[in-house]
Amino acid sequence: MPRTKKRSGRGGQQGNVQPFSDEDASIETLSHCSSLSEGTSAAEEAGEAEEMAQEDFQYKLKVYIDSTVDKSAKTRQGALDGLKTAMATKILYEFICERRMTITDSIERCLKKGKGVEQCAAASLACLLCIQLGSGIESEEVFKTLKPVFKTILNDGAANIQARQACATSLGLCTLVAEDDIMDVYATMESFESLFTHSYVREDGSRPSVNPQTTQLHTNALLSWALLLTICTGSHIRAIAQKHLSKLPCLLENEDVNMRIAAGETIALLFELIRDVDPEFDYDGLEPLCEKLNALATDCNKHRAKTDKRKQRSVFRDVLKAVEEGDFQSETIRFGTERMVIDSWVRKRTYDAFTEFVGSGMNNHLQANEFIRDVFELGPPMFIDSAALKAMKSSRLERHLYNAAAFKARTKARNKFRDKRVDVGEF
């Protein structure tokens, strides 16, 4: 018989493997517990780090609040800007609610005693404060204190023009958020009317001579008036249409592009509202109005800047469709895993008003600010953890392939409408 070969290496060791003893089991258990404790400690450290970062952030906010009453105008300005940035980008309801009257007193003091830029910052901060607090008793208390100051500055011809412009915009949004009496809303609208109607053509057909700064004030007043128009009753909308619809088209001939655009959007909004109230509404001056709108949508005047003409054409094409056909070019806003459709002039005016103050933080407010979600009928906030959100996102390769396919399809579609140049010599 052949000799049996001794196995070497791993094969030889298998015969000498010792059974799994209690000592080994205890070592394995200790190792497992150690790894669990390490994972737990890492999670605790992350939680502690986040808590410390939150405490540091709140400490900075407290310093900003205290600095709004500093003797130095530069320090006050920096504090106001810091609070504005924080309120625009984060949801701070609980922190702000406890200190709302302190912040309100600081805003009031800056509006009354500050100059120009400081007053503008204080007016913007007042809007952000109301947006954070939402529509309720807290924001009503804030607005009750600040509304007389806003109106005083707005109607004071000797006040700083930039401060008046800021107050015109802030008063409109704060009224939308915090005013609880519709009659007070109408009174505020009359204050705005007393401003922008000064840009109307006079009864003798002459045009008022208004400097650019005052024109901007009238533009801001018109936009705030249009914002409040979105919450008026049907009977008041009828009265407004009868009073202003024949006069607003004269603002389309204003030299300032922002005034022309504001007037066009307000006309489209008013047509949308009055048609909702009265589907059989018929406007006698529809034909000349459409001619004006069409001229602005195809404006080629060389004395106007290219950027102004491009912006104007885009807006007035949509305004013309709204007036002629009652149509609106819808737009989809995506934020997180949700989306919102801007499908009417009412929604557009409201969204633009909030975005003017919140800026790039609008997506955060759409996701987590209960008041703004209620305004746009988005329901309660949806809280999704970062892991689930990352799993729902497409990969970089998928996005690249999608964009490449979309670019190819868009190029093919555009080529159909491009002029094909032909060599004349071949014919």
Side-chain angles (χ1 to χ4, degrees), residues 311-360:
K311 183 179 178 183
Q312 176 180 286
R313 289 171 189 163
S314 174
V315 170
F316 279 100
R317 281 195 294 267
D318 296 336
V319 173
L320 182 60
K321 285 182 180 179
V323 173
E324 280 186 331
E325 307 167 12
D327 191 18
F328 181 83
Q329 186 69 34
S330 62
E331 179 184 0
T332 302
I333 308 296
R334 292 179 175 83
F335 51 98
T337 59
E338 301 175 83
R339 62 180 61 189
M340 177 182 69
V341 179
I342 307 294
D343 55 0
S344 66
W345 288 98
V346 171
R347 275 202 161 198
K348 183 180 186 305
R349 179 80 281 274
T350 308
Y351 180 80
D352 290 347
F354 283 116
T355 306
E356 184 172 353
F357 290 97
V358 178
S360 60

